[in-house]
Amino acid sequence: MPSKQYAILVDRLKDLSYLGSALGLLHWDQEVHMPPAGAEMRARTIGYLSGRTHEQFLALDKDKLLSKLAVALKDKDTAEAASVRDVWRSYRREKKLPVKFVREFSELCSEAHVVWAKARETSDFSLFQPLLEKIVAMKRQEAEYVGYKDSPYDALLDAYEPGATCAQLSPVFSELRDFLQPFIRRIVRAAASQPSLPDLKGTFPIEKQKAFNALVAEKMGFSHAAGKIDVSTHPFTMGFHPQDVRITTRYDERDALYAIGSTVHEVGHALYEQGLPVEHFGTPLGEAVSLGLHESQSRVWENQIGKGRAFWTYFYPKLQKAFPKPFKRVVFEDFFRIVNQVRPSLIRTESDEVTYNLHIILRYEIEKGLIEENLKVKDLPGIWKAKMKEYLGVCVPDDRQGVLQDVHWSGGSIGYFPTYTLGNLYAAQFYAAALRELPRLQTDVAKGRFAPVREWLRQKIHVHGKLHSAQVLVKNVTGEELSSRYFIEYLKTKYGELYGV
Ligand SMILES: [Zn+2]
């Protein structure tokens, strides 16, 4: 009986996905191709289609189809049941928010985004402060509408990382923070006494860089027939269907490594999208588990694999050949040290894999404090400066390079940041499991054989779509719950060797 009803639900979900694809393409075009004067019309088109999508989404239950299925399959342990549970979860969240509230919040964010951009440009937090106060107040309201057990912040986290809570994250993040602070201090001290490294700047024609990046992507297993690489200011990945996955990267004529890092990261995301099961397109079983899980797939390629010795053993000779100046005269060991340089810095998106998570933990603590009403928006610039000094030992000269640097809050995204660190932790834990199960992983990668590790990730993670929650998937794949241990061990081994700490 549920199967027939489920088939009707799947048809409705597919219709929603077609709308989602159309919307996605408009967003993609906006970032990649659209002429600047098209912005206003595009915003209106996207607004209209988003409204229609929202109506369609709520119509999933027009004849009580969804709610009946949710009751019938409540405690069942089948793929259909998992799929229905996920749709039901998002449906109920959406239903709990009054339409008027959603509209007001979206208008507030449009205004806040413009003001934030101006505030950042002039490095003046006081411009943005009243809008951020309103955003925080509305996000608290959202948490009340949605409901929560312990912390209102849990209700916000849940939108990005279903099932994650402060009770789960706080101890993991604290352990990581307490390890990182002294570890980074030791690296900084050790780096001061190391010989200086060669300069890798030069002139790298963009067309040649594009060819090199396309080669890296292809070797990793990115299908150019089912995907495309374009250029945008902020790199991103967008999957319309496993057969059509778009990524973007960005190039710097003076720095060949600038693009490679972001390409490898986005290809990691793209491999997840290209690896989702086509037969489940449109349903949760054909979707990525969560933002944190998605990020784990980009990070494992960007960091554990893409900044590893094996990866560069294979690619460095190719890089030297493509760009003899300056790489021909730089020995592998120096190059490898440069790729893995640790430097506490001001800007999150430019930070290395060791210091990165302290940028996130700082944001998590601030967001949680704001939503739990232990911190006030007006105090944020000072809190930001104090924490940056304490965690990373850096002095924040102005708000532009401090509290105003990220776009997230102006778009109403509170509860999003932790998914980046979750991604790093999942990545290290998955990679440790892959190394246990694939003893030849490093040797294979050093020879340019990326299929074993890619297929391992695909079979263990990608093909399951949203069949399991992030928490269950991590346990299934690695044998234990999420822990910061594997990430800490990974850093200790790698940077212990590089810096002698
Ligand atoms: Zn990412």
Side-chain angles (χ1 to χ4, degrees), residues 362-373:
L362 169 156
R363 285 155 176 78
Y364 167 71
E365 291 170 348
I366 287 178
E367 289 186 337
K368 188 169 175 290
L370 288 173
I371 298 300
E372 291 178 348
E373 294 187 85

Side-chain angles (χ1 to χ4, degrees), residues 463-476:
V463 300
H464 301 297
K466 262 186 179 164
L467 180 61
H468 309 293
S469 67
Q471 292 80 10
V472 171
L473 188 69
V474 168
K475 226 177 153 186
N476 288 352

Side-chain angles (χ1 to χ4, degrees), residues 268-438:
H269 280 303
L271 290 174
Y272 193 177
E273 291 290 325
Q274 291 184 336
L276 289 167
V278 176
E279 66 275 22
H280 292 305
F281 169 75
T283 77
L285 299 174
E287 287 169 9
V289 177
S290 66
L291 285 183
L293 238 302
H294 223 307
E295 196 63 9
S296 77
Q297 300 308 289
S298 58
R299 298 292 172 134
V300 77
W301 282 101
E302 180 189 1
N303 295 329
Q304 275 81 10
I305 302 171
K307 290 201 171 90
R309 262 181 202 284
F311 184 91
W312 284 109
T313 300
Y314 179 70
F315 277 116
Y316 193 48
K318 294 183 166 47
L319 187 73
Q320 287 177 309
K321 204 167 159 216
F323 305 105
K325 243 169 113 181
F327 295 113
K328 265 273 177 281
R329 58 171 178 79
V330 178
V331 297
F332 179 87
E333 209 47 45
D334 281 351
F335 173 79
F336 188 62
R337 278 176 183 279
I338 293 170
V339 169
N340 288 293
Q341 223 163 5
V342 178
R343 250 187 309 218
S345 64
L346 295 164
I347 307 295
R348 173 184 63 88
T349 54
E350 293 167 8
S351 64
D352 54 80
E353 65 173 331
V354 181
T355 56
Y356 186 89
N357 294 295
L358 285 178
H359 289 270
I360 298 302
I361 290 169
L362 169 156
R363 285 155 176 78
Y364 167 71
E365 291 170 348
I366 287 178
E367 289 186 337
K368 188 169 175 290
L370 288 173
I371 298 300
E372 291 178 348
E373 294 187 85
N374 299 320
L375 294 181
K376 288 199 167 64
V377 169
K378 72 171 169 53
D379 298 327
L380 290 194
I383 294 169
W384 192 283
K385 282 177 188 163
K387 280 191 187 272
M388 284 297 284
K389 183 87 195 125
E390 187 195 341
Y391 293 175
L392 286 164
V394 297
C395 295
V396 178
D398 52 37
D399 293 339
R400 193 172 62 83
Q401 296 174 83
V403 65
L404 288 172
Q405 66 183 268
D406 293 306
V407 68
H408 301 60
W409 293 342
S410 75
S413 299
I414 295 182
Y416 189 116
F417 282 121
T419 67
Y420 293 122
T421 286
L422 278 172
N424 287 325
L425 301 180
Y426 292 141
Q429 198 162 331
F430 288 145
Y431 190 66
L435 285 175
R436 284 195 301 269
E437 291 178 26
L438 304 172

Side-chain angles (χ1 to χ4, degrees), residues 7 34 80 89 112 123 195 237 305 329 468-469:
M34 188 183 75
E80 272 181 21
R89 198 188 62 83
S123 197
T237 297
I305 302 171
R329 58 171 178 79
H468 309 293
S469 67

